[in-house]
Amino acid sequence: NFLESFAGAFANPPLSAPRARPEAADELQRLVTDGWNGARVDADRCSQLIDALALMGGPFDASDLGGGLWLALHSRGLVPKWQKNQELLKVFGVRNRAGQTYFPKDKRVENYGEVVGGLVTFGAEGTFALPAGPLRAPCDLPVEITAGGLTVFGKRFELPIAGPGLVRVLYHDSTMRIFESPLTSQDKWEESGLVVVQVRESAVINF
């Protein structure tokens, strides 16, 4: 009856309530997405929000690592090569994309960066490992790059890129994540200490 159902609801409460997305995440995603669309980015405010979200950390689902390409929209630290490429042709109205695609089921990762739009691109592929147990930021993901190359008009030229790496997840939700590079990458694509804000490409398009 109703009274028994009502009492049962309190006797067996939900194991956990859905985690509310921090307001800082909404603001940071809006700022970096506006920057991608041509607005001036308040780097100081972005830095404050990055630090606030990194301090919060929190659990995240391994499946959220995947879902297609995540675009790198903002960085803090020495300007990485992919960002230099992003800005290379901006004066001509070309927005070079850069980002990563993770495949959680297969533990694979692909790095992608455009040099001249989709006509000339850089790619690097490898594997990654997940920590044991439930995922909670901050956490480190060991990465092993196995191959890389430059693709020019559809023809790929292999480059001598291989070796171990490390990605530190400072914050992660279903549409935005903050990564840190504790080590300089094998290809010098990113320097040690670089912090990058990535947003799921579909979320950038639909934001």
Side-chain angles (χ1 to χ4, degrees):
N1 61 31
F2 173 77
L3 290 177
E4 290 176 343
S5 300
F6 186 77
F10 281 91
N12 301 285
L15 294 178
S16 62
R19 186 187 180 208
R21 193 182 199 222
E23 292 183 4
D26 290 334
E27 183 179 353
L28 181 59
Q29 183 173 337
R30 183 172 63 253
L31 287 173
V32 299
T33 302
D34 287 348
W36 170 255
N37 289 321
R40 180 183 175 278
V41 177
D42 185 340
D44 290 338
R45 181 56 180 162
C46 285
S47 188
Q48 292 172 358
L49 295 168
I50 287 170
D51 290 339
L53 291 168
L55 191 62
M56 292 179 197
F60 67 96
D61 196 303
S63 63
D64 282 339
L65 285 166
L69 180 66
W70 289 62
L71 293 178
L73 299 188
H74 180 76
S75 71
R76 181 175 73 184
L78 290 176
V79 179
K81 289 182 179 179
W82 56 258
Q83 187 172 336
K84 293 177 181 178
N85 289 340
Q86 275 186 340
E87 299 170 353
L88 188 64
L89 300 177
K90 188 179 291 185
V91 67
F92 300 107
V94 177
R95 293 190 300 184
N96 285 326
R97 298 180 304 155
Q100 293 179 303
T101 302
Y102 279 80
F103 302 89
K105 184 177 179 180
D106 302 324
K107 303 297 191 296
R108 293 189 300 109
V109 60
E110 295 178 356
N111 297 326
Y112 175 80
E114 295 177 346
V115 182
V116 186
L119 299 178
V120 181
T121 64
F122 168 83
E125 303 81 39
T127 60
F128 70 96
L130 290 170
L135 295 177
R136 185 177 184 86
C139 67
D140 290 345
L141 306 181
V143 176
E144 185 74 28
I145 297 300
T146 56
L150 190 69
T151 300
V152 182
F153 297 104
K155 181 175 178 58
R156 171 149 163 157
F157 300 89
E158 296 298 324
L159 298 174
I161 300 172
L166 192 66
V167 174
R168 180 161 295 149
V169 183
L170 299 180
Y171 174 84
H172 205 302
D173 63 35
S174 61
T175 58
M176 186 183 71
R177 60 194 182 198
I178 303 172
F179 284 170
E180 182 180 17
S181 298
L183 306 172
T184 297
S185 61
Q186 294 291 322
D187 52 7
K188 305 294 183 180
W189 197 242
E190 296 181 345
E191 298 289 340
S192 173
L194 181 74
V195 175
V196 178
V197 179
Q198 296 184 357
V199 177
R200 193 186 297 273
E201 185 175 36
S202 59
V204 174
I205 294 171
N206 297 318
F207 194 77

